[in-house]
Amino acid sequence: MSHHEINIAVFASGNGTNAENLIKYFNDNTESGIRVSLVVTNRAGAGVVERAKRLGVPVEHITRDRFSDHDYVMGILKAHHVEAIVLAGFLLMVPDYLLKYYHDRIINIHPSLLPRYGGKGMFGINVHKAVVEAGDTETGITIHLVDEICDNGRILFQAKVSVDPTDTPEDVEAKIHTLEREHFSRIVALTLAPDL
Ligand code: GAR
């Protein structure tokens, strides 16, 4: 077993349920050696800010413009000893310098079975609306490595759930959140600390 500590930053733009699940999971499972040392958001008013604060995790607000400032962003990540990044409902593209520095150490969760319903504009409830409108009988989650193309990187894990004919997009969203809660933290742990 490795005792190397791995500090991760969770990047989030929204409500932050996945960020909260990740923080709690790694607080409870200390044997993983993984710890959420920082939450980064591009939206100052996002729900994730309160969730992180409540759990005692530092939050940095970095605007879209500021993200292009390599020295500024790397300074923040280095100050928190960040070795890997997890995107949990983060709606900006990750800048190239982060993709290079954290090569194969940036993980994203997407609320559909990629390659279906991926790409620009496909996030959160928009994805579930598209699934319901298409009359799909199943959907799911995809956890994948991040590369320079939106929703394109190597798939680490997928899980499926059935969509009933009467499901609204909100019903699908609830099912997806359940899947995310069941799997995301575990797959992050397996990916970043495989020799556990
Ligand atoms: C999650 O369902 C996540 O999979 C999705 O946004 C939601 C964020 O919820 N991500 C995307 O759509 C990325 N394109 P949360 O803020 O409660 O974690």
Side-chain angles (χ1 to χ4, degrees):
M1 187 194 284
S2 150
H3 289 283
H4 174 65
E5 287 277 317
I6 303 172
N7 287 325
I8 65 175
V10 175
F11 285 22
S13 305
N15 190 11
T17 62
N18 281 282
E20 176 163 356
N21 292 338
L22 287 157
I23 293 165
K24 286 180 171 164
Y25 180 92
F26 291 115
N27 279 346
D28 292 347
N29 293 274
T30 49
E31 74 284 357
S32 72
I34 297 171
R35 198 171 72 93
V36 179
S37 65
L38 177 67
V39 166
V40 170
T41 186
N42 60 307
R43 283 186 46 222
V48 69
V49 173
E50 280 313 309
R51 290 179 193 271
K53 282 187 179 159
R54 189 160 23 86
L55 292 162
V57 177
V59 181
E60 286 283 352
H61 173 221
I62 306 179
T63 60
R64 182 193 292 265
D65 288 348
R66 219 61 208 283
F67 258 106
S68 55
D69 187 337
H70 166 283
D71 292 351
Y72 178 75
V73 175
M74 287 309 297
I76 289 171
L77 297 179
K78 285 187 174 161
H80 293 272
H81 307 287
V82 171
E83 290 182 46
I85 295 171
V86 177
L87 310 182
F90 184 65
L91 301 183
L92 301 182
M93 286 297 286
V94 175
D96 279 343
Y97 64 85
L98 285 183
L99 293 173
K100 282 210 183 72
Y101 190 87
Y102 292 102
H103 183 70
D104 283 354
R105 311 284 285 177
I106 306 181
I107 299 170
N108 182 43
I109 190 158
H110 187 80
S112 75
L113 296 169
L114 289 175
R116 277 183 276 165
Y117 306 111
K120 220 173 157 33
M122 277 295 174
F123 54 85
I125 198 76
N126 294 349
V127 175
H128 312 313
K129 279 184 185 154
V131 165
V132 168
E133 271 165 29
D136 290 0
T137 55
E138 66 175 16
T139 185
I141 60 170
T142 303
I143 300 168
H144 65 95
L145 294 177
V146 175
D147 66 14
E148 63 285 348
I149 301 167
C150 187
D151 298 329
N152 176 75
R154 181 159 67 82
I155 292 176
L156 302 167
F157 177 85
Q158 291 185 305
K160 293 178 180 173
V161 65
S162 63
V163 179
D164 301 325
T166 55
D167 278 352
T168 63
E170 289 73 20
D171 294 331
V172 175
E173 185 174 49
K175 289 180 177 181
I176 290 296
H177 278 314
T178 300
L179 279 188
E180 293 180 333
R181 196 165 52 244
E182 273 171 20
H183 299 291
F184 193 23
S185 302
R186 185 174 62 78
I187 298 301
V188 168
L190 270 174
T191 304
L192 298 178
D195 48 334
L196 268 184

